[in-house]
Amino acid sequence: MHIVIVGLSHKTAPVEVRERLAFAPTAMERPLRQLLDLPPLAEGLIVSTCNRVELCAATKEPDSAVAAMRRFLADYHDIALEEIDPHLYDYQGEDAIRHLFRVAASLDSMVLGEPQILGQIKTAYGYAVEFKTAGLILNRFLHKAFSVAKRIRTETGIASNAVSVSFAAVELARKIFDKLDDKGVMIIGAGEMCELAAKHFISNGVTKTLVTNRTFERAEKLAAEFNGRAVPFEQFTDHLAEVDIVLTSTGAPNFILGHRQMEEIIRRRKHKPMFLIDIAVPRDIDPKVNDIDNAYLYDVDDLQEVVQANLKERKKEAGKAEAIVDQEIGQFYQWLANLDVKPTIIALRSHLEKIREQELERTFSNLKDLTDKQKKGIEAMASAMVNKILHKPIAMLKRTQDETSGEDYVDAVRSLFDLPAPSFEDKDIRTLDEPEQ
Amino acid sequence: MIVDVLLFKITLLIYFVATICYLVGVITRKEQFNRSAKWILIGGFVLHCITLKVRWLTTGITPVASLHESLSFFAWSLIGIYLLFDLRYRTPMLGAFISPLALALMILGAAAPKKAPAVNPMLDSWWFPIHVTLAFLGYGVFAIAAMAGIMYLLQERMVKSKKFSGLFYRLPSLDTLDSMNYKCLTFGFPLMTMGIISGAIWANSAWGGYWRWDPKETWALITWFLYAALLHGRLSIGWRGRRAAIFAIIGFCCLLFTFFGVNLFLSGEHTFRSFTGE
């Protein structure tokens, strides 16, 4: 079994492309089922955040799976494959494992070491479990990825100095407003990043908090959490002039704040500066708003620029993290490979043992006047024969299990001896799973 | 006479060292350079005070009678006001912008003839020192407004375009720079207004007329209107930020023209004849 990943991220695709390929986090069942319907795929998982879309699968035919997954990503979003193809990457085997480990450990994040991505992958995995598109391999793979991420977080300084998109937003606000004490913030929509940024702002002195949401109850709930005030979504623009900082992260497909509206709001504020942070993908605020005097609009991509300098320190720590990833890949890849070889060996052995037992029984029933000593001798001979016959093939299987040719031998052995296909419910394989902490 | 020129040259040298220190501090981002630059500047300023006093005692009139003296006085008021500003805002970056400007004025002053002008009986009035002091303090304040404006435009450009250079971390926040603009305006505008009024009163006592549309007076009035427009825009229309910064820069250019241009290109009562050594 192979692990393959097809995806795109902030490193390969601009926000304009990513927002078109994103999967709505509230409706994951359909895409997950469709993904699993692709013939070469045995298990599937979709991670969709504002910075990346990753399709992860377990398959027996990695090349055709990759092709099918690329096609799926285009077809599902009704986009010509040629259009998005240059933005896509794919990984197989060890590279795929490395990729997911790195993503989970935030080594591939826009802000190196930012903590949100792990939660986002956990959520994505939760959906895959809920809709039963993750099986033994992805279960094991994801849990391993989580533990690798956790290990990196505790053993390296990659997450020290809380640098994140949300923190970068606070630093930027300080470059615009100097002090945040007398400033107000409005949170439009809800999202982990948005709430985190709001928390940062509040802990840095912002005193006034307005919250709006299409679902007013959610706005009220969040407002209570932040000691703020909820305003109805329909009238949120009326209250915009009251705040200095806007954090937006709605799932709206179109802009909810346009150029002309913002001009009017800035005028009403007597041109006091406003800092708008659009975390949503697709974006919530018309990018032209940034052209308005005293309005500063940053989208997800822009915030990346800001944190680059702060990331230099973390980059040093990333080296250590990569070493941990390499080490863990080895372990996991070994397990993945064993998954195929071990049951084959077990099946092969039990197949021959069965023959041995049957033949011994038949021989003993024909030769009734054998002494116990003679019986023991014949039994020993049969066992020795089985072991000697098995010795070389098993040694070969074990030796080649880490190589790509290993699967060819497994396949040959299974065909030659007509061994039954391995079941994932196999107890022997189960015991390979370490207990989860 | 020789003593005050020597003192002037030493002051210039100290300002030069302070400027270098500020610039090195900004480039290397080492705090100790900025700190020493400030102390060097303070030292220079104290010496500058002595220089002006010696000059005053030597010539017997307020040392703003020749171009050399005026430039020196301009630089003095600029540094003095910057040091006062620094108490409030503590931004070494502003020093890195102000000290080269003061240095440039000093170098020009060093180039101008240093001979004491023949005592003009007109200058022998109490209104003269009041007029020039108010005017030059206003110049100094507006120079700071203009420098803060340049810094604002630089910083604003980076925040807007989302492309950051090392300067981004060194420059103060937009809000701080904009409030400097406002502070300068609220101090500079009354100073300038009083400078013009005191000048008019002095003119009346000297020539028997408040206003004679001398080129310098005309340009001072144009500059005054520019700053008045900016103050009005700020207070009632809500001008701020970029627009206010640009206005402060234009206003200062206008002011520099009032100071230099009128002397060089136009002629009138304010012209320093001593520029050519006469």
Side-chain angles (χ1 to χ4, degrees):
Chain A
M1 212 50 126
H2 300 262
I3 287 171
V4 294
I5 288 173
V6 169
L8 74 165
S9 74
H10 58 96
K11 286 188 176 157
T12 64
V15 63
E16 290 82 6
V17 175
R18 299 201 307 271
E19 65 190 8
R20 291 170 69 195
L21 293 179
F23 292 87
T26 47
M28 289 306 286
E29 185 169 6
R30 195 167 72 94
L32 276 172
R33 294 227 187 281
Q34 285 185 17
L35 179 68
L36 206 62
D37 283 344
L38 302 175
L41 268 61
E43 302 176 28
L45 171 81
I46 300 174
V47 179
S48 178
T49 75
C50 33
N51 290 332
R52 62 178 70 249
V53 174
E54 308 268 1
L55 305 179
C56 178
T59 176
K60 274 203 189 315
E61 303 152 49
D63 291 322
S64 64
V66 163
M69 284 153 79
R70 278 174 176 267
R71 164 77 38 212
F72 165 77
L73 206 49
D75 291 350
Y76 187 85
H77 294 285
D78 271 331
I79 298 171
L81 181 56
E82 298 73 44
E83 205 179 319
I84 58 164
D85 210 46
H87 299 294
L88 297 182
Y89 50 72
D90 59 77
Y91 297 104
Q92 297 183 17
E94 209 176 308
D95 292 335
I97 297 166
R98 172 176 284 107
H99 181 71
L100 192 80
F101 283 3
R102 293 186 75 252
V103 169
S106 199
L107 288 169
D108 195 49
S109 292
M110 192 178 263
V111 181
L112 189 67
E114 58 93 5
Q116 288 104 337
I117 183 65
L118 186 60
Q120 285 160 337
I121 294 177
K122 280 184 175 167
T123 309
Y125 171 63
Y127 284 121
V129 169
E130 187 182 341
F131 302 119
K132 296 189 170 62
T133 62
L136 176 81
I137 293 180
L138 288 190
N139 280 340
R140 171 69 192 229
F141 183 34
L142 268 294
H143 280 125
K144 190 71 192 173
F146 300 152
S147 78
V148 170
K150 192 175 164 190
R151 187 179 157 200
I152 286 172
R153 206 152 281 271
T154 50
E155 289 182 21
T156 75
I158 193 159
S160 60
N161 316 319
V163 183
S164 62
V165 166
S166 46
F167 194 76
V170 174
E171 286 198 339
L172 262 168
R174 284 183 187 283
K175 276 292 172 195
I176 297 171
F177 300 117
D178 203 47
K179 287 197 186 96
L180 302 179
D181 302 18
D182 51 345
K183 300 292 179 279
V185 64
M186 184 188 277
I187 305 159
I188 305 172
E192 241 170 294
M193 294 255 267
C194 212
E195 285 171 34
L196 198 71
K199 270 182 201 142
H200 278 311
F201 275 118
I202 290 163
S203 65
N204 278 280
V206 166
T207 41
K208 181 177 183 178
T209 314
L210 298 186
V211 184
T212 187
N213 198 303
R214 267 188 221 285
T215 322
F216 192 67
E217 289 72 40
R218 289 188 71 184
E220 278 181 317
K221 199 168 153 258
L222 202 60
E225 205 175 304
F226 290 137
N227 247 336
R229 182 159 61 89
V231 296
F233 188 77
E234 294 70 31
Q235 287 133 39
F236 85 88
T237 47
D238 299 342
H239 298 275
L240 268 181
E242 299 168 32
V243 297
D244 308 275
I245 300 158
V246 178
L247 275 166
T248 165
S249 159
T250 75
N254 301 314
F255 297 140
I256 57 164
L257 199 54
H259 183 257
R260 200 168 299 163
Q261 277 171 301
M262 265 314 288
E263 265 184 338
E264 171 59 30
I265 288 159
I266 291 284
R267 206 171 306 129
R268 267 210 314 231
R269 288 172 57 80
K270 289 202 158 185
H271 306 278
K272 274 197 284 179
M274 256 183 120
F275 182 33
L276 304 122
I277 304 139
D278 186 354
I279 303 176
V281 176
R283 286 170 291 178
D284 282 340
I285 304 175
D286 187 345
K288 273 186 289 187
V289 163
N290 195 46
D291 299 337
I292 302 171
D293 245 10
N294 297 314
Y296 303 95
L297 169 63
Y298 278 69
D299 66 28
V300 174
D301 277 7
D302 299 329
L303 289 169
Q304 184 193 13
E305 308 261 338
V306 184
V307 296
Q308 284 313 313
N310 306 6
L311 287 174
K312 278 178 189 155
E313 279 306 302
R314 287 187 172 203
K315 281 196 178 126
K316 286 177 197 157
E317 289 298 308
K320 285 190 217 164
E322 300 281 2
I324 293 176
V325 167
D326 282 340
Q327 195 184 337
E328 299 276 359
I329 288 172
Q331 288 180 14
F332 182 76
Y333 199 59
Q334 189 85 18
W335 174 82
L336 194 63
N338 271 349
L339 199 62
D340 287 340
V341 171
K342 279 232 167 127
T344 308
I345 293 170
I346 291 160
L348 180 62
R349 188 174 279 284
S350 67
H351 177 68
L352 291 198
E353 290 291 347
K354 208 178 269 168
I355 293 173
R356 182 182 66 90
E357 272 167 28
Q358 281 169 357
E359 291 311 308
L360 278 176
E361 224 173 85
R362 201 184 310 167
T363 307
F364 291 160
S365 61
N366 288 345
L367 303 171
K368 291 205 170 68
D369 46 0
L370 286 174
T371 63
D372 278 357
K373 201 183 171 190
Q374 285 169 325
K375 276 186 183 174
K376 280 229 168 83
I378 292 168
E379 268 175 11
M381 182 198 71
S383 286
M385 278 176 70
V386 166
N387 284 337
K388 286 221 162 118
I389 291 166
L390 281 177
H391 181 269
K392 289 268 174 185
I394 286 177
M396 180 64 120
L397 285 172
K398 281 186 170 168
R399 199 169 62 239
T400 59
Q401 66 184 6
D402 295 334
E403 301 163 17
T404 43
S405 62
E407 269 144 14
D408 296 341
Y409 286 109
V410 170
D411 191 42
V413 167
R414 288 195 178 277
S415 311
L416 287 173
F417 291 94
D418 194 24
L419 298 173
S423 146
F424 287 140
E425 307 312 317
D426 206 323
K427 260 202 169 145
D428 290 308
I429 304 166
R430 271 287 182 220
T431 55
L432 292 170
D433 255 310
E434 289 160 14
E436 283 302 331
Q437 301 96 335
Chain B
M1 182 61 98
I2 293 164
V3 177
D4 74 77
V5 172
L6 187 70
L7 283 171
F8 174 84
K9 283 181 177 163
I10 296 169
T11 308
L12 192 151
L13 198 71
I14 294 174
Y15 284 165
F16 176 75
V17 174
T19 304
I20 296 294
C21 242
Y22 268 121
L23 296 178
V24 170
V26 164
I27 292 162
T28 62
R29 296 201 207 172
K30 283 193 176 131
E31 200 54 45
Q32 60 263 40
F33 280 103
N34 294 323
R35 257 201 307 276
S36 32
K38 188 173 144 187
W39 286 107
I40 295 167
L41 201 64
I42 291 172
F45 181 72
V46 171
L47 195 67
H48 205 164
C49 293
I50 298 167
T51 309
L52 292 176
K53 184 70 191 168
V54 169
R55 180 85 180 181
W56 196 347
L57 293 174
T58 316
T59 62
I61 51 165
T62 321
V64 216
S66 71
L67 183 65
H68 161 73
E69 289 173 348
S70 299
L71 284 163
S72 175
F73 197 77
F74 193 168
W76 174 81
S77 68
L78 181 58
I79 299 288
I81 286 172
Y82 165 69
L83 290 174
L84 281 177
F85 241 77
D86 194 64
L87 290 176
R88 166 79 173 78
Y89 288 104
R90 300 208 172 275
T91 161
M93 265 312 274
L94 188 59
F97 278 79
I98 291 297
S99 59
L101 181 64
L103 184 66
L105 293 171
M106 290 295 278
I107 290 169
L108 283 174
K114 291 167 205 71
K115 208 180 80 182
V119 177
N120 186 331
M122 260 186 350
L123 299 181
D124 192 16
S125 155
W126 270 111
W127 287 109
F128 174 59
I130 292 172
H131 167 62
V132 294
T133 306
L134 288 171
F136 276 105
L137 286 179
Y139 279 22
V141 173
F142 284 138
I144 287 173
M147 292 304 134
I150 291 171
M151 286 158 76
Y152 184 95
L153 292 182
L154 287 171
Q155 182 75 310
E156 207 265 354
R157 205 182 151 72
M158 283 190 276
V159 176
K160 198 68 146 178
S161 67
K162 297 145 188 177
K163 288 188 180 68
F164 305 105
S165 70
L167 216 54
F168 174 74
Y169 299 95
R170 306 294 291 152
L171 285 171
S173 69
L174 293 177
D175 199 47
T176 306
L177 291 168
D178 191 53
S179 85
M180 278 186 198
N181 177 293
Y182 181 65
K183 272 273 151 55
C184 286
L185 206 58
T186 52
F187 282 105
F189 191 72
L191 282 171
M192 192 185 188
T193 310
M194 289 190 293
I196 290 175
I197 292 169
S198 61
I201 295 167
W202 174 40
N204 188 40
S205 69
W207 295 293
Y210 289 102
W211 197 266
R212 296 163 8 119
W213 297 106
D214 158 289
K216 186 135 186 164
E217 291 174 356
T218 313
W219 275 95
L221 197 66
I222 292 170
T223 313
W224 184 85
F225 270 113
L226 260 170
Y227 283 113
L230 175 57
L231 191 63
H232 172 75
R234 279 209 78 111
L235 291 177
S236 58
I237 314 173
W239 285 5
R240 56 166 67 235
R242 220 160 63 87
R243 193 183 305 223
I246 291 170
F247 243 89
I249 294 164
I250 294 173
F252 187 63
C253 290
C254 218
L255 198 145
L256 282 181
F257 183 78
T258 311
F259 184 71
F260 290 111
V262 172
N263 281 316
L264 296 176
F265 308 119
L266 309 162
S267 69
E269 287 304 331
H270 281 82
T271 312
F272 300 112
R273 299 208 175 76
S274 59
F275 191 60
T276 48
E278 282 170 32

